[in-house]
Amino acid sequence: MKWSPQAEEAISRVPFFVRRRVRKRVEEEASHLNAAEVTPAHVTACQKRFLKNMADEVKGYRLETCFGGNGCPNRALIDDELVKRVDDLLAARSLRELLLSRVEGPLKMHHELRVSIADCPNACSRPQIADLGIIAAMRPRLSDEECTRCDRCVDACSEGAVALGSGDDAPVIEMSRCVSCGMCVRACPTGTLVPEAAGYRIMLGGKLGRHPQLAKELEGIYSKSELLRIVDACLDHFTKENRKGERFGEILNRTGMEFLPLHPVGKR
């Protein structure tokens, strides 16, 4: 639906963590009124109702994704099934009912468990401030294939982590600079650079609010099956240890992460 410039400005002032949800409600309201264009009045009316009835909007969890599935060229991995698999794990936990039993007073948006999936280290979906953050990753290594010194890997690496030496030397990768985006692997036409480990980075316990903190990253890169196992273990821990609707980061600050046996497929 078409939005007026003034309506776009109004929605931009809505907090980012509920903006997508409010935007959807605004469009539904404008459509119900047979409006040809969304106006600031639609935004204001919907925002007031949203804040008044916030408890009804809380479903217990929120799963956010980046734009990778819409054809983004930066995707470190392509797995269009992952979002559904994670959503299925979350939906099976009846988190709204859990929060209703633990929270004193009405539910609010910050009580929801936030999970964020990013298809590359650009992390457009902000996994660093989510309760569970997931970032697709591909760590490169040199194979035995001869390098033609085409320089494409060097051009592809925006971190300056790949360089060509003199003579016939193969590329040199400075791993301390590498963010495991996989761009150099995709750029290499000869197979000289191949994945050493492909999977997911996992970050836990990020949050905003009065006491913000960045999520803590687990060491290593994890396979899809291992990632799902860790997500399930985190949900077990969240449901068991949650007190009065506290955020997952607060739980981890209190309990630590010893409940997680970790088996990464590679270092990062």
Side-chain angles (χ1 to χ4, degrees):
M1 177 173 282
K2 183 180 179 181
W3 284 60
S4 72
Q6 295 81 4
E8 289 285 4
E9 182 181 356
I11 198 71
S12 71
R13 294 194 292 270
V14 174
F16 75 86
F17 52 88
V18 295
R19 189 177 304 153
R20 185 181 300 180
R21 201 174 298 189
V22 173
R23 188 181 185 96
K24 181 180 179 182
R25 295 288 187 274
V26 171
E27 291 188 345
E28 289 173 351
E29 165 135 346
S31 178
H32 179 72
L33 296 173
N34 296 316
E37 182 180 70
V38 175
T39 68
H42 295 131
V43 177
T44 301
C46 185
Q47 187 177 1
K48 286 180 179 179
R49 270 198 306 278
F50 187 90
L51 292 172
K52 183 179 179 180
N53 304 311
M54 185 180 294
D56 296 332
E57 295 286 340
V58 177
K59 71 173 187 177
Y61 72 89
R62 196 174 338 135
L63 177 58
E64 298 178 343
T65 61
C66 64
F67 295 108
N70 294 323
C72 176
N74 296 321
R75 301 177 82 182
L77 293 179
I78 298 177
D79 184 351
D80 295 324
E81 183 197 39
L82 179 64
V83 173
K84 183 181 185 305
R85 294 288 301 276
V86 173
D87 189 60
D88 287 345
L89 290 175
L90 292 163
R93 293 295 179 140
S94 301
L95 292 175
R96 175 178 168 82
E97 287 69 25
L98 170 78
L99 292 173
L100 283 170
S101 70
R102 305 285 174 88
V103 174
E104 297 176 356
L107 295 183
K108 297 184 178 180
M109 302 305 295
H110 67 262
H111 290 128
E112 290 187 317
L113 185 76
R114 289 188 58 239
V115 181
S116 175
I117 300 177
D119 285 347
C120 81
N122 288 340
C124 298
S125 54
R126 298 177 286 257
Q128 300 91 342
I129 54 173
D131 296 292
L132 282 77
I134 300 165
I135 305 176
M138 181 183 293
R139 181 182 173 93
R141 69 170 176 84
L142 293 173
S143 74
D144 294 329
E145 292 295 328
E146 184 178 356
C147 175
T148 60
R149 301 179 63 78
C150 67
D151 223 25
R152 293 182 190 177
C153 57
V154 176
D155 292 338
C157 182
S158 59
E159 306 301 320
V162 185
L164 293 179
S166 59
D168 296 328
D169 292 342
V172 176
I173 305 173
E174 188 176 338
M175 299 312 301
S176 62
R177 289 190 174 188
C178 178
V179 295
S180 303
C181 68
M183 295 296 284
C184 60
V185 173
R186 290 195 293 278
C188 179
T190 59
T192 305
L193 290 175
V194 295
E196 177 187 68
Y200 300 92
R201 296 162 54 193
I202 302 174
M203 312 182 81
L204 303 178
K207 65 189 184 76
L208 294 178
R210 293 187 180 186
H211 304 285
Q213 67 183 33
L214 290 176
K216 297 177 182 178
E217 184 169 352
L218 303 182
E219 184 177 354
I221 296 173
Y222 296 81
S223 67
K224 178 179 175 179
S225 60
E226 190 69 8
L227 162 67
L228 294 172
R229 188 188 65 79
I230 290 173
V231 171
D232 205 40
C234 286
L235 292 175
D236 279 341
H237 198 66
F238 179 77
T239 56
K240 177 183 177 182
E241 299 290 342
N242 188 283
R243 299 176 181 174
K244 300 182 179 180
E246 63 187 331
R247 292 294 297 272
F248 192 45
E250 294 167 339
I251 294 173
L252 296 179
N253 291 343
R254 173 163 48 82
T255 68
M257 299 188 189
E258 288 73 18
F259 67 96
L260 283 176
L262 304 177
H263 306 287
V265 296
K267 297 180 179 180
R268 192 182 81 79

